[in-house]
Structure formats: structure tokens, C-alpha cells
């Protein structure tokens, strides 16, 4: 993978948006459900039984006026009827978008991480485990930082807590959420995220950097394998019939390259949908976009590919998780061999 230049200046949407943004309190932040009394050692405690609990288990730590150096949380998971194979944790600062949380930075001893960044649950802990974590506070005066924890029975998805969730995704059983609230806890209208990206025409051996992920902001090679394939959102191709084309990974032309074979991944397991719409917007319109709310008016279409692209075209998009944005076509080197590419700029909601 190669890091891209990164700056920060109705379809399938509803099913995923709630899990990404909502954390309601079920307990007072220092109430210990194990003992039934206030526990002054911890600032937030969440105890998740993926079988018997009702709904998402959540807690909030209200940061005091005199801000401490750190805060302490305890998260416990118990499962009596299904093994927990992986633990997924995300962190969302100020509503800027959930990102994988690096547990290994805050625990003693080694962490067995999977290729997608999740934590492998050891055999002795597959029916229950606890993490006692001391975490630093972020540099916020107002807003929230949201940590979300869940376990899966196999390879899950950082952007979709329902995928192989150990629990009940409909009832939100099996999800732990801790919110750190600064000031009034109001997240400002976030700046959009922006990327400048060169997508290469696909090569038969899978070595080309053909796909892009909004989740990690990186280019991905086709031959990376199944663990990271769930991150890919869209890719580039060029044929004489369709010319320069962007398409979702789900709808990518398998005649050009057999993604399942090269990536060693099944399409129904990992590949994302992504929806495009060519617009009449100008470069000035694109440049004027600065806030997340500026993109709220974009609606999803049925188009998982957009063909015959030209320089300065502006494309609207909505991914399968409900994230909205714009793509500007900057340059095209036509063809389907080594050295052929498309340069694009992206503005996207966090």
C-alpha cells in the first residue's frame, strides 16, 4: 500500500449510518454493572453479554473543567453460545469519521492483529475477555470522541458492525460504545476530507495500484489479498469501448481482471458497492466545497460505474455506507497498460 497525499480543509445508506454515529447511554459512567455500585477507579465501564443484554451497551465520560492527563475505561465481553474470533475497535474524533483504533499502543504485551487491523481473540478468551485501558485525552474544547467495540465470528468490516457480529445486529446486542464528551459535546460541522490520487490501469498480475479506499485513504493493489479487499471502494479501467471508467469493486469488469482470483477473495464476502453520477458542476463549484454539510444534498443512484470520463468532469458519489463526496478528473493517460492512469481529486465527508 502507498499513502496518498491527504489534506483535511435511498439505497443501502440507512442500514449502516446508525451504527457509525449513534451511542446512547445505558448506565451512569461510573456505575459498575458487575458490583452494582459506583466504581471510582474507572471513568467509564461497559459490560457486554452478547446473549442476554438488550441493545447496545454504552457509557459516557464527561471531561471535567480541570482536564486530566488521561482517563480509564473497562470493557468486558461475554459470549456463551458463539465463539468470538475477532475484536474490532474504532475511534471517531469530533465527528470526523471512525478510524481503526490501535489497541496495541495501550496494552501490555503483544497483540495478535489480523491483516485488516482487527484483533485476533485468543482461544482461551473466545467466550469472554476484559480490557482495562488508560487512554490519553484528545485536544478538544467542545465535541465528542466516540469509541466503538464489537466482536465477530469471522472477518468483519470496520465500516459495518453488522457483518458477522457476535450478537444481534437488529437489536444492537453485542456492541459497546464509550463517548468522551468535551464541553457541550457538540461536534462542529466538520471540514471535508480531500485526496489527490493517481489510479493505475489494471495489470494482469495484480501489481497495479488500481483501487482506492475512502476508509484508510490509501491506494491498493489488486494482489493484496482478502484481508484488505473490504477496504476498497472503487477502481479505474480503460477500454476502447468505455474509455476512462471508474467503477465500484462490486461492479468492476471481471473480463479486464478476475479480482476474486487475483485477490483470493469471494465477491459476496468483501467487495463494496459504490454509486456514481456525472454532474454539470464546474471546477469552481468543486473548489467551493469545504464543509461536510455542503455535500448533504447528494443522493445515491443505481450507477456503479461511470464511463467515458474527460478531464474536468465532476462526479458525485455515495458509498454503500452513506458517505457522500465529489470526484474531479484532473488528467488521463489513456490505455490499459503499464504507465496508463487517471489522476483525480476527491472531496468527501468524514
Amino acid at each position: 500500500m502507498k499513502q496518498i497525499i491527504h489534506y483535511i480543509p435511498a439505497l443501502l445508506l440507512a442500514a449502516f449510518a446508525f451504527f457509525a454515529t449513534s451511542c446512547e447511554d445505558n448506565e451512569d459512567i461510573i456505575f459498575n454493572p458487575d458490583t452494582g455500585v459506583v466504581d471510582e477507579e474507572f471513568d467509564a465501564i461497559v459490560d457486554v453479554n452478547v446473549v442476554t443484554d438488550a441493545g447496545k451497551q454504552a457509557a459516557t465520560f464527561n471531561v471535567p473543567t480541570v482536564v486530566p492527563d488521561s482517563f480509564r475505561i473497562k470493557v468486558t465481553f461475554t459470549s456463551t453460545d458463539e465463539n468470538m474470533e475477532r475484536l474490532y475497535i474504532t475511534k471517531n474524533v469530533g465527528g470526523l469519521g471512525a478510524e481503526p483504533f490501535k489497541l496495541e499502543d495501550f496494552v501490555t504485551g503483544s497483540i495478535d492483529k489480523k491483516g485488516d487491523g482487527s484483533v485476533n481473540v485468543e482461544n482461551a478468551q473466545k467466550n469472554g475477555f476484559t480490557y482495562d485501558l488508560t487512554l490519553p485525552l484528545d485536544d478538544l474544547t467542545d465535541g465528542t470522541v466516540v469509541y466503538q467495540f464489537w466482536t465477530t465470528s469471522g472477518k468483519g468490516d470496520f465500516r459495518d458492525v453488522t457483518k458477522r457480529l457476535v450478537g444481534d445486529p437488529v437489536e444492537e446486542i453485542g456492541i459497546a460504545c464509550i463517548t468522551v464528551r468535551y464541553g457541550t459535546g457538540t461536534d462542529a460541522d466538520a471540514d471535508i476530507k480531500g485526496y489527490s490520487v493517481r489510479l493505475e490501469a489494471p495489470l494482469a498480475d495484480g501489481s497495479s495500484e488500481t483501487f482506492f479506499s475512502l476508509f484508510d485513504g490509501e491506494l491498493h493493489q489488486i494482489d493484496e489479498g482478502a484481508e484488505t479487499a473490504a477496504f476498497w471502494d472503487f477502481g479505474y479501467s480503460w477500454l476502447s469501448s468505455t474509455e476512462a471508467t471508474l467503477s465500484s469493486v462490486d461492479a468492476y469488469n471481471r473480463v479486464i481482471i478476475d479480482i476474486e482470483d487475483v485477490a483470493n477473495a469471494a465477491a459476496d464476502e468483501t467487495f463494496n458497492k459504490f454509486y456514481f453520477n456525472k454532474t454539470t458542476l464546474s471546477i469552481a463549484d468543486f473548489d467551493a466545497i469545504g464543509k461536510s454539510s455542503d455535500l448533504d444534498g447528494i443522493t445515491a443512484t443505481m450507477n456503479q460505474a461511470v464511463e467515458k470520463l474527460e478531464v474536468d468532469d465532476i462526479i458525485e458519489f455515495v458509498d454503500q455506507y452513506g458517505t457522500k463526496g465529489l470526484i474531479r478528473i484532473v488528467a488521463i493517460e489513456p490505455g490499459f497498460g503499464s504507465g496508463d492512469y487517471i489522476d483525480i481529486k476527491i472531496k468527501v465527508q468524514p
Side-chain angles (χ1 to χ4, degrees):
M1 291 183 287
K2 183 172 88 176
Q3 185 66 41
I4 307 305
I5 300 170
H6 180 201
Y7 59 92
I8 296 182
L11 288 165
L12 301 173
L13 315 183
F16 301 102
F18 179 82
F19 292 110
T21 60
S22 177
C23 284
E24 297 296 333
D25 298 346
N26 291 340
E27 299 286 355
D28 183 25
I29 61 168
I30 53 174
F31 179 79
N32 187 337
D34 296 328
T35 63
V37 297
V38 168
D39 190 332
E40 296 182 355
E41 290 186 66
F42 296 95
D43 297 298
I45 297 171
V46 181
D47 192 349
V48 178
N49 187 309
V50 301
V51 177
T52 62
D53 284 336
K56 180 184 296 184
Q57 302 302 296
T60 299
F61 169 48
N62 293 300
V63 178
T65 303
V66 179
V67 180
D69 293 331
S70 61
F71 65 105
R72 188 178 176 191
I73 65 174
K74 182 169 75 169
V75 180
T76 300
F77 278 86
T78 305
S79 175
T80 56
D81 68 346
E82 185 175 9
N83 285 345
M84 297 179 287
E85 300 292 339
R86 299 191 186 199
L87 171 66
Y88 286 80
I89 312 173
T90 59
K91 178 182 179 182
N92 189 339
V93 180
L96 295 178
E99 298 182 349
F101 174 74
K102 295 182 178 180
L103 182 65
E104 63 271 21
D105 292 343
F106 302 99
V107 297
T108 302
S110 61
I111 293 291
D112 182 9
K113 292 186 67 174
K114 293 291 189 177
D116 67 347
S118 61
V119 177
N120 181 53
V121 179
E122 297 178 0
N123 288 334
Q125 299 180 324
K126 291 188 183 299
N127 295 119
F129 59 85
T130 297
Y131 280 105
D132 175 348
L133 302 173
T134 298
L135 305 176
L137 286 159
D138 289 82
D139 187 19
L140 291 179
T141 55
D142 202 23
T144 63
V145 176
V146 179
Y147 297 85
Q148 190 152 259
F149 304 72
W150 69 96
T151 61
T152 63
S153 58
K155 189 166 79 71
D157 186 339
F158 276 105
R159 290 184 284 186
D160 176 11
V161 302
T162 68
K163 186 173 183 179
R164 297 193 176 93
L165 174 71
V166 179
D168 185 337
V170 176
E171 299 296 331
E172 299 183 80
I173 297 171
I175 304 167
C177 187
I178 293 177
T179 299
V180 182
R181 180 178 291 134
Y182 297 77
T184 66
T186 302
D187 292 323
D189 185 8
D191 291 342
I192 54 92
K193 289 184 177 180
Y195 304 93
S196 295
V197 175
R198 171 167 291 182
L199 297 175
E200 298 172 345
L203 300 179
D205 65 359
S207 63
S208 54
E209 293 181 325
T210 297
F211 291 98
F212 183 71
S213 169
L214 296 173
F215 181 64
D216 62 11
E218 293 185 352
L219 285 169
H220 291 271
Q221 295 180 187
I222 305 168
D223 62 358
E224 284 180 10
E227 283 291 336
T228 64
F231 294 169
W232 310 349
D233 288 306
F234 64 91
Y236 173 64
S237 62
W238 194 97
L239 292 173
S240 57
S241 58
T242 59
E243 300 180 2
T245 299
L246 296 177
S247 63
S248 73
V249 189
D250 176 72
Y252 198 83
N253 191 334
R254 266 57 173 182
V255 174
I256 298 174
I257 189 166
D258 187 341
I259 301 174
E260 284 85 354
D261 181 59
V262 176
N264 191 27
D268 61 347
E269 289 270 348
T270 56
F271 295 142
N272 284 325
K273 296 177 172 62
F274 202 89
Y275 304 93
F276 302 91
N277 182 44
K278 191 178 291 189
T279 77
T280 58
L281 295 174
S282 66
I283 295 175
D285 295 329
F286 179 88
D287 291 342
I289 299 296
K291 294 292 185 179
S292 178
S293 60
D294 295 338
L295 300 169
D296 285 344
I298 296 174
T299 58
T301 70
M302 297 299 293
N303 305 317
Q304 290 201 65
V306 57
E307 302 173 348
K308 296 187 176 181
L309 295 169
E310 298 178 354
V311 172
D312 292 338
D313 280 347
I314 308 296
I315 313 301
E316 294 178 338
F317 67 80
V318 182
D319 72 11
Q320 73 176 40
Y321 308 98
T323 305
K324 302 176 180 182
L326 295 174
I327 297 171
R328 174 190 166 191
I329 310 303
V330 177
I332 299 172
E333 183 63 38
F336 43 79
S338 178
D340 298 325
Y341 61 85
I342 189 170
D343 285 343
I344 61 177
K345 288 187 175 181
I346 303 169
K347 289 190 173 184
V348 60
Q349 292 177 328

